[in-house]
Amino acid sequence: MWNEGEPVGAIVVSGGASGLGAAVVRAVRKAGGVAVVLDRDEPAECDDFVRVDLADPRAAEHAVREIADRNGGLDGVVTAAGTDRCGELSTIDGAEWDRVVTVNLLGTAAVVRAALPYLIDSRGRIVTVASTLGFSAVSDATAYCASKFGVVGFTRALTAELTGRVGVTLLVPGGMRTKFFDDREERYKPPDDARLNDPDDVAAAVVFALSQPGNCELRELVVTHAEEGSWPP
C-alpha cells in the first residue's frame, strides 16, 4: 500500500509512452515511485518498460506478469492506455471499431486481472481511466463511448468485488492538451479555443488517489477544465 511519505513500490502505467500516461509516469517518479510502462512505443521516461499492444489482452496479461516478477511485485496500476476512431458507425471499418473497444475496455480488464494477485498481496491500488464520455454520449463516437461507458461499469463492479482488499479509483478526465487528437479529421479536433486540461494536472490527481491511507478510498474522481463543456452530463 502506497501511503504518503512512505517508500513507493512499482506502479504499472499502461499507455505510459504518451499523453496522460506519460504525465502519470512523470508524477509517479517525482513522488518517489517506480514507474513501469506497458505500451507499443518506448517511453521517453520510465524505470522499466515492456513493449506490448493493448489490443492483445493475452499479451497484456503476460506483460504485466513479466514486469511484476522482475520488480518484486506491484503496488499500483494505472490503466491510461486509450485510443479512438471517429465517424458514423456505418462508415467505420469493423476492425478499427473493435480495436477501440479492445484497447480501452478489454485491455484495461486484462491489465487489472493479471495484476490482481500482486495487488492483493501488497494491498495496492488501481486507478482506471474512463472519460466524461463514459457518462454522456455524442455522435460519431460509438466505439469510444461504448468502451468508456464499459470502463465505468467495470470499475464500479470491481470496486464492490475488491472492497477491503485493493483500493479502486475511477478517474474521469475531461479533454486534455495531448496528441490524442492529432490524427483526426479537422472536424473531430477540438477548436483552437477549446478548454483543455494540462495532463500533468490530471496526473497529480492520480498520484493523490494512489497515496491515500489504507482506510480511505477515493472511489471516483472527476478532473476537468473549469469550463469543460462535456460535464456535467
Side-chain angles (χ1 to χ4, degrees):
M1 178 69 70
W2 178 357
N3 291 322
E4 191 170 4
E6 296 182 1
V8 179
I11 308 298
V12 168
V13 183
S14 69
S18 61
L20 175 61
V24 170
V25 168
R26 292 191 295 271
V28 165
R29 300 186 81 201
K30 183 178 179 181
V34 176
V36 291
V37 171
L38 307 178
D39 206 303
R40 288 194 302 174
D41 302 316
E42 186 168 355
E45 178 180 353
C46 71
D47 297 291
D48 198 357
F49 167 60
V50 172
R51 191 182 306 277
V52 65
D53 188 346
L54 273 297
D56 184 342
R58 302 294 80 77
E61 290 173 351
H62 177 78
V64 170
R65 296 186 189 104
E66 176 185 340
I67 215 162
D69 289 344
R70 72 187 189 207
N71 282 277
L74 298 175
D75 291 275
V77 167
V78 181
T79 59
T83 189
D84 192 10
R85 181 59 61 193
C86 299
E88 294 185 3
L89 181 60
S90 61
T91 67
I92 297 177
D93 177 77
E96 293 182 351
W97 197 99
D98 291 352
R99 179 179 176 82
V100 174
V101 176
T102 302
V103 171
N104 295 0
L105 177 57
L106 302 187
T108 291
V111 169
V112 170
R113 180 168 48 245
L116 275 181
Y118 307 95
L119 296 176
I120 290 171
D121 184 61
S122 66
R123 291 284 307 234
R125 291 190 175 276
I126 297 163
V127 178
T128 61
V129 180
S131 167
T132 53
L133 293 186
F135 291 88
S136 60
V138 296
S139 177
D140 293 21
T142 53
Y144 191 78
C145 288
S147 67
K148 293 302 185 177
F149 268 76
V151 170
V152 172
F154 166 73
T155 306
R156 288 178 171 175
L158 188 68
T159 297
E161 184 174 310
L162 296 177
T163 296
R165 295 188 292 163
V166 177
V168 181
T169 298
L170 172 67
L171 177 69
V172 183
M176 291 173 282
R177 292 195 300 272
T178 70
K179 295 182 179 181
F180 187 74
F181 307 107
D182 286 3
D183 64 350
R184 294 184 177 188
E185 297 177 33
E186 284 301 318
R187 59 180 171 150
Y188 295 129
K189 292 182 179 181
D192 292 339
D193 60 351
R195 271 57 171 178
L196 301 175
N197 255 353
D198 185 329
D200 287 322
D201 292 337
V202 182
V206 172
V207 169
F208 176 71
L210 290 170
S211 62
Q212 292 303 298
N215 62 345
C216 180
E217 295 294 345
L218 190 57
R219 297 300 192 189
E220 300 190 1
L221 184 60
V222 180
V223 186
T224 72
H225 187 280
E227 298 176 73
E228 169 71 44
S230 65
W231 192 270

